[in-house]
Amino acid sequence: MGTSDSKIPRPMDGSCKVVLEGYLLKRSIRKGKSGGWQKRYYRLYDIGVLDTFKRKSSTQLKRRVWFSTQDDCQITWDPMITSEVDYNSNEPPIFFLKNVETLSDTKTKTLNIHLKAETVAKRDLWIDSIKKVLQQKVLQEKNPPITRHDE
C-alpha cells in the first residue's frame, strides 16, 4: 500500500493499462461515526492497482492499493453508511473494497474502503471492473507464466 515512485505504474510505457477511471466519493475514516464523503479521482489498472488522486489533473498520488487474491468488492448494506438509496433500484450507490495485505506468515492487515458512485449503474461498473482484475490476480497466482531459460 506504499506510494513509492518506483512502483507507480506508467500507462505510457506499455507495462499496464487503465481499466477504469473516474470520480468517486470516499468515506473518510477520520470524520467519526457519521462519516464524511470526499471526492477523489480513482484509476484502476489491469495489474491489480487502484490509485487515488485528489483530482483528475493531479500528479500527486494520495493512496495506492495493491490488490491481493484475498481482496473482495461488494455492495455496502451497512445502515451506518447506506442511508441513501437509488430511487429506481432501491439500492445504495455505495460499495466497499476489502484489501488484505500480508505482513508476514501469520499477520495480515485489512483495509476497508467505502466508495460512493453517482448512480447504481456506475457502482456496478466499478464493482464488475474490480472483480475482473481480482479474478485475473487469482488466475495468475494459480497459473504463473512459464519462463524459458535458454541453456
Side-chain angles (χ1 to χ4, degrees):
M1 283 191 269
T3 57
S4 167
D5 285 336
S6 63
K7 293 184 178 181
I8 294 178
R10 307 279 184 217
M12 284 67 78
D13 70 5
S15 65
C16 61
K17 293 179 183 166
V18 175
V19 174
L20 184 62
E21 61 184 317
Y23 282 101
L24 295 169
L25 298 177
K26 75 160 186 92
R27 184 168 185 253
S28 174
I29 58 173
R30 294 183 183 92
K31 300 286 185 187
K33 287 188 177 181
S34 63
W37 293 97
Q38 300 170 340
K39 188 175 183 177
R40 295 289 184 261
Y41 192 80
Y42 289 88
R43 192 170 291 139
L44 175 65
Y45 292 95
D46 63 349
I47 59 171
V49 171
L50 181 66
D51 283 346
T52 306
F53 300 91
K54 221 169 188 173
R55 60 189 81 67
K56 183 178 182 177
S57 60
S58 180
T59 57
Q60 183 181 4
L61 186 63
K62 297 301 280 180
R63 171 180 278 160
R64 162 154 295 157
V65 176
W66 290 89
F67 292 167
S68 76
T69 56
Q70 301 170 21
D71 291 359
D72 193 15
C73 186
Q74 297 180 22
I75 299 169
T76 301
W77 292 103
D78 184 340
M80 290 293 289
I81 298 168
T82 57
S83 58
E84 61 187 80
V85 294
D86 184 76
Y87 178 75
N88 295 323
S89 66
N90 202 30
E91 291 183 12
I94 303 168
F95 63 102
F96 75 93
L97 172 65
K98 181 178 100 175
N99 178 242
V100 180
E101 181 181 8
T102 302
L103 303 175
S104 68
D105 288 343
T106 58
K107 285 188 174 184
T108 59
K109 177 181 171 185
T110 302
L111 175 67
N112 289 313
I113 305 168
H114 292 271
L115 301 164
K116 185 190 317 184
E118 288 179 19
T119 64
V120 169
K122 285 188 180 180
R123 175 207 68 193
D124 291 344
L125 178 62
W126 275 98
I127 291 173
D128 291 345
S129 298
I130 290 170
K131 283 189 172 192
K132 283 179 187 171
V133 171
L134 289 173
Q135 203 171 24
Q136 287 174 348
K137 275 284 224 204
V138 171
L139 289 173
Q140 286 172 355
E141 191 168 290
K142 287 181 180 178
N143 304 312
I146 298 171
T147 56
R148 183 178 162 186
H149 300 282
D150 292 325
E151 295 177 21

